[in-house]
Amino acid sequence: MKWNKNILRILLIGSFLAINALVLFGISSVWSYLNTGADRSTLLHIGGEGATVYFPEVVWDTTSVEGRPIEKQTLAKIERDYLNGWYVRNTALSTNNNYGIADYFTESARTKLYKILDTNKEKGATFVQTTLEHGPKLNFYSADGTQISFLDKNVSLYKKGF
């Protein structure tokens, strides 16, 4: 009879330890799952550098810049944004959709583009266009780097209307 009590005691303590081990394992699994979370770099949903889909030749004229000299890295960022603006404009004219125009154009330029898009929608016209080369001339770059002025008169454009 004493043998049976010891076996029952061992089974009871063993099952207690096994149940506790399973509960702790479950809690740690849930805790580790909840701690995985999102990658901090993706919290703002800011896309990384997108693939370049529009790359005409751009030759900058920086010979007569008022203000401070411009850095190559800053000029590359400006060029990227400038070409993205052209890409959005070309896409808007081919689809008659104003998506993205507000991101790259000033109020007066937006107003003009919206009028062109409205006219194209009324007449059922679309224009597929692309630029082949640009020759922007840098006029001014502010001392604090917040303002820039350039003029691009030498744009080689290919346009097809439907």
Side-chain angles (χ1 to χ4, degrees):
M1 190 100 178
K2 188 164 176 106
W3 181 250
N4 285 342
K5 281 186 181 182
N6 287 336
I7 291 177
L8 288 176
R9 226 180 254 165
I10 290 172
L11 286 176
L12 186 62
I13 292 172
S15 63
F16 175 75
L17 292 175
I19 290 173
N20 280 336
L22 289 174
V23 167
L24 286 176
F25 177 75
I27 290 173
S28 67
S29 295
V30 169
W31 184 263
S32 66
Y33 172 75
L34 293 176
N35 277 334
T36 56
D39 183 17
R40 290 188 188 272
S41 64
T42 61
L43 289 177
L44 296 177
H45 301 289
I46 297 174
E49 290 297 320
T52 304
V53 293
Y54 184 68
F55 42 91
E57 181 181 355
V58 179
V59 179
W60 285 91
D61 179 9
T62 59
T63 55
S64 59
V65 179
E66 291 184 32
R68 72 175 189 176
I70 192 163
E71 305 85 18
K72 288 183 180 182
Q73 181 181 2
T74 305
L75 193 60
K77 286 180 182 178
I78 292 166
E79 181 178 321
R80 184 192 67 220
D81 289 341
Y82 180 58
L83 291 179
N84 284 344
W86 269 99
Y87 178 73
V88 166
R89 180 182 186 272
N90 294 343
T91 304
L93 289 173
S94 68
T95 62
N96 288 332
N97 186 353
N98 59 7
Y99 180 75
I101 290 176
D103 294 336
Y104 291 100
F105 294 94
T106 62
E107 186 65 37
S108 62
R110 270 183 281 189
T111 303
K112 290 177 185 177
L113 277 172
Y114 291 154
K115 285 181 184 177
I116 291 170
L117 291 175
D118 290 340
T119 304
N120 287 349
K121 283 179 188 176
E122 288 173 9
K123 296 185 178 185
T126 58
F127 294 93
V128 176
Q129 70 179 26
T130 188
T131 57
L132 303 175
E133 56 187 35
H134 295 264
K137 181 180 186 320
L138 189 61
N139 298 326
F140 176 74
Y141 184 51
S142 66
D144 61 354
T146 58
Q147 295 180 359
I148 187 169
S149 169
F150 63 92
L151 190 60
D152 191 3
K153 287 188 175 180
N154 300 324
V155 177
S156 178
L157 180 77
Y158 174 77
K159 184 186 251 184
K160 190 174 184 181
F162 295 98

